[in-house]
Amino acid sequence: MTEPVRILVVGGGYVGMYTALHLQRHLKAELRSGRAEITVVTPDPYMTYQPFLPEAAAGNISPRHVVVPLRRVLDMCRIVIGEAKAIDHAKRTATVATLATEQEGTGPLQVSYDELVIAPGSISRTLPIPGLADYGIGFKTVEEAIGLRNHVIEQMDIASSTRDPAIRDAALTFVFVGGGFAGVEALGELEDMARYTARYYHNIKPQDLKWVLVEASDRILPEVGEEMGGYAVRELRARNIEVRLETRLESCEDRVAVLSDGTRFPTRTVVWTAGVKPAPVLAATDLPLNDRGRLKCTAFLTVEGVEHAWSAGDAAAVPDLTAAQPGRECAPNAQHAVRQTKVLAENIVASLRGGPLKEYAHKYAGSVASLGLHKGVAHVYGRKLKGYPAWFMHRAYHLSRVPTFNRKARVLAEWTLSGLFKREIVSLGSLEHPRAEFELAAGPPPPQPKDEVAEGGTADGGPKSD
């Protein structure tokens, strides 16, 4: 009996999940007969649909409906919850650390493969800004999104109960760094949510809240074009949101955000969304990287100069065949990533069956962005939309793109219910410390005696009584 073809997929995000899903459909007969096996190594047992994170943070969508369970969707694949630490493609092995290996203390696993799909995605790109590591809040995961929602409402609780004006002002000041999709949409949705929540506080008015968007370039949302980006700035400023263009965060030590223009904002909230960088595992491989740390790939989505290695999405520098200027690469966004996975899976299947490979080519269709409830901007196929039509297009597009009919139905149901009933304004910050209540009930551990009790005697050295 011949050995099965072992396909290893590193990463369970857009590219990892969709590639494995397409492979499982194309190789259904081989997987059932044991002639092929697919292993997906991912730190989380779910794929996060990141465009919905701002709505989850605002409470419009339940957190569990923003994620797709991999074990349910990839029922013919082997799911390994762990992190790839290194890849030796020359030996066709990946070093994987799992929760079990940490418990056992036996060291990482060595996973062998024949075909490699490396799609670990990206991580937040941070800068050595004083105080950022201590006080900054990211916005790439569902945990961060829900944690930020709880944090914002908690700050309103602090401001409502404090008698110190300085603490109140700092609690009601929210600074977002980064004018891309993540920063603008998160700011727009959370400002909307907080303004609505303020009506339930006897001593907080919407105008008491201070929202600041800091962007290093001269515009925000560059993907929707200069005109729509300018409209977005005017829309945010009309809501009393300070938009600081061509400005950088210099420091946030001691809970004071210091900007490059000299402005200082005492604040308890600094949200960092200023770009991403490739996952660290790419640097721990023997695969070729470009000067930005991404894998050098061909239009066939193979790793350049290497056999049996494939990539797409954030981790891959894929040439854009539709660009007017030669040498340009596909933007590392979800629009390209989802479409690349279909070509990637078909090419892997073709290579296994001896068929020809095809090149990936997709002309960028445009972008949509939400600025809060019923507000948005869009630039799609040359057409520019703003306000309610753009917001509606944003929801319709992402509803069509979220994986599985189950998730589409649940998200649509939640949107419908949120239109009929009032917003939820509850902070569940205690979820981040689930044992705190029990530890308080259990009380502190009993104090240990300073001196050891002598055998046959009491702690004070006297004779033991009967």
Side-chain angles (χ1 to χ4, degrees):
M1 181 177 177
T2 59
E3 292 292 324
V5 176
R6 300 163 300 177
I7 303 174
L8 175 64
V9 180
V10 176
Y14 281 97
V15 176
M17 191 203 77
Y18 276 110
T19 300
L21 183 61
H22 291 311
L23 284 173
Q24 135 177 313
R25 290 171 179 169
H26 289 300
L27 299 175
K28 188 174 294 184
E30 288 86 343
L31 290 169
R32 286 177 174 171
S33 64
R35 287 175 291 157
E37 59 183 40
I38 303 172
T39 300
V40 179
V41 174
T42 173
D44 302 305
Y46 52 80
M47 186 276 273
T48 303
Y49 190 72
Q50 291 184 336
F52 279 161
L53 290 183
E55 294 218 43
N60 298 332
I61 302 176
S62 172
R64 67 183 184 278
H65 299 156
V66 178
V67 299
V68 180
L70 295 178
R71 296 189 190 279
R72 178 182 296 174
V73 175
L74 305 177
D75 57 329
M76 300 182 72
C77 301
R78 176 191 174 208
I79 307 298
V80 176
I81 306 304
E83 186 177 355
K85 295 294 186 180
I87 296 174
D88 188 341
H89 189 65
K91 296 181 179 179
R92 302 291 193 274
T93 59
T95 303
V96 178
T98 70
L99 296 177
T101 58
E102 292 179 6
Q103 293 289 326
E104 295 167 352
T106 54
L109 301 174
Q110 298 298 316
V111 179
S112 301
Y113 61 84
D114 300 303
E115 300 286 339
L116 172 68
V117 178
I118 180 164
S122 57
I123 61 175
S124 294
R125 177 177 60 85
T126 58
L127 299 175
I129 295 174
L132 182 61
D134 297 320
Y135 301 113
I137 302 173
F139 199 79
K140 271 189 65 66
T141 68
V142 67
E143 293 86 356
E144 287 175 329
I146 303 309
L148 181 56
R149 168 188 168 81
N150 292 334
H151 175 81
V152 168
I153 298 177
E154 184 180 272
Q155 297 312 302
M156 297 178 71
D157 290 336
I158 291 172
S160 176
S161 58
T162 185
R163 291 176 291 181
D164 188 329
I167 293 178
R168 175 186 169 90
D169 290 344
L172 296 181
T173 300
F174 306 95
V175 178
F176 285 67
V177 183
F181 282 117
V184 173
E185 291 191 342
L187 171 59
E189 293 285 354
L190 284 165
E191 189 274 339
D192 233 2
M193 182 270 293
R195 184 159 28 85
Y196 175 88
T197 304
R199 70 178 65 180
Y200 296 100
Y201 288 82
H202 70 282
N203 58 351
I204 296 180
K205 299 177 181 178
Q207 54 266 34
D208 295 335
L209 302 166
K210 180 183 292 185
W211 300 82
V212 183
L213 177 63
V214 180
E215 168 56 37
S217 67
D218 60 352
R219 59 176 174 163
I220 65 173
L221 298 175
E223 295 86 353
V224 300
E226 186 174 355
E227 182 181 342
M228 289 296 96
Y231 166 80
V233 170
R234 294 191 299 273
E235 166 67 24
L236 294 175
R237 285 174 173 168
R239 290 157 58 179
N240 292 322
I241 298 172
E242 293 191 37
V243 181
R244 301 293 184 102
L245 301 177
E246 298 182 279
T247 307
R248 297 177 304 277
L249 178 69
E250 297 285 350
S251 170
C252 56
E253 283 186 306
D254 302 321
R255 296 192 180 275
V256 177
V258 181
L259 307 186
S260 58
D261 60 6
T263 310
R264 300 170 62 89
F265 292 104
T267 178
R268 300 170 63 88
T269 309
V270 175
V271 182
W272 182 265
T273 63
V276 296
K277 63 181 180 181
V281 68
L282 296 185
T285 71
D286 53 353
L287 301 173
L289 306 178
N290 67 4
D291 55 356
R292 303 178 71 176
R294 299 168 69 193
L295 290 167
K296 294 181 180 179
C297 291
T298 69
F300 299 107
L301 303 177
T302 60
V303 177
E304 193 175 285
V306 180
E307 294 183 344
H308 309 292
W310 314 76
S311 188
D314 289 354
V318 179
D320 188 352
L321 301 183
T322 66
Q325 299 176 348
R328 297 195 63 177
E329 299 171 354
C330 294
N333 56 35
Q335 185 178 140
H336 280 299
V338 173
R339 287 174 169 84
Q340 286 170 352
T341 57
K342 185 177 180 181
V343 177
L344 174 55
E346 290 174 352
N347 281 350
I348 292 176
V349 173
S351 71
L352 295 177
R353 295 175 178 172
L357 307 185
K358 66 179 182 180
E359 295 180 322
Y360 171 78
H362 169 70
K363 189 170 180 61
Y364 191 62
S367 299
V368 291
S370 169
L371 301 177
L373 193 62
H374 302 157
K375 296 173 283 289
V377 290
H379 189 183
V380 182
Y381 293 114
R383 300 196 63 178
K384 301 170 185 175
L385 300 173
K386 58 187 179 183
Y388 186 90
W391 172 83
F392 183 82
M393 179 176 285
H394 173 270
R395 280 201 162 183
Y397 173 77
H398 286 300
L399 183 65
S400 70
R401 295 300 173 185
V402 68
T404 77
F405 177 79
N406 181 307
R407 285 295 173 272
K408 296 181 198 296
R410 290 178 182 273
V411 169
L412 183 59
E414 288 201 309
W415 280 342
T416 302
L417 291 173
S418 65
L420 298 175
F421 300 101
K422 297 179 179 180
R423 285 178 183 257
E424 294 292 342
I425 60 167
V426 177
S427 168
L428 297 176
S430 58
L431 289 176
E432 300 168 27
H433 308 284
R435 294 192 67 249
E437 185 69 23
F438 182 79
E439 290 175 352
L440 180 64
Q448 295 294 324
K450 294 182 179 180
D451 300 320
E452 291 293 329
V453 177
E455 184 178 355
T458 62
D460 60 2
K464 181 179 178 180
S465 59
D466 293 330

